[in-house]
């Protein structure tokens, strides 16, 4: 299973209405933490579970869902975590 598939499976616990995972690793060749099989990711996730939560709390929820992947498989993670209402306003 690819890292992105594992990430998608782990983030399913947040019951996302939408989830996009982008591998930005190629932009970081030569940078510390670079891994050829992926190390730098961007996650755009929309979930009602983020309602009433501050940005940092949302990020902690994503980190917790990814668990051990944050320790070994992911060097850098850019997170956009929104509620469905926020997503509608952004459109």
């Amino acid at each position: 299973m690819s890292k992105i598939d594992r990430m998608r499976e782990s983030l399913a616990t947040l019951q996302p209405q939408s989830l996009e995972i982008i591998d930005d690793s190629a932009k970081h060749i030569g940078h510390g933490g670079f891994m050829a099989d992926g190390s730098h990711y961007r996650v755009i996730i929309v979930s009602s579970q983020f309602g009433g939560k501050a940005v940092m709390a949302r990020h902690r929820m994503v980190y917790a869902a990814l668990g051990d992947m944050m320790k070994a498989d992911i060097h850098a993670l850019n997170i956009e975590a929104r509620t469905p209402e926020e997503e509608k306003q952004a459109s």
Side-chain angles (χ1 to χ4, degrees), residues 17-68:
Q17 288 187 342
S18 68
L19 174 62
E20 186 175 359
I21 302 171
I22 300 114
D23 184 348
D24 283 336
S25 301
K27 297 178 184 177
H28 300 277
I29 294 172
H31 175 262
F34 172 80
M35 292 177 253
D37 67 339
S39 56
H40 293 69
Y41 296 93
R42 185 164 31 122
V43 171
I44 303 164
I45 183 169
V46 177
S47 173
S48 58
Q49 291 189 21
F50 297 138
K53 305 267 192 311
V55 171
M56 290 306 295
R58 295 175 186 196
H59 287 206
R60 283 191 292 273
M61 291 170 70
V62 171
Y63 294 139
L66 292 170
D68 288 339

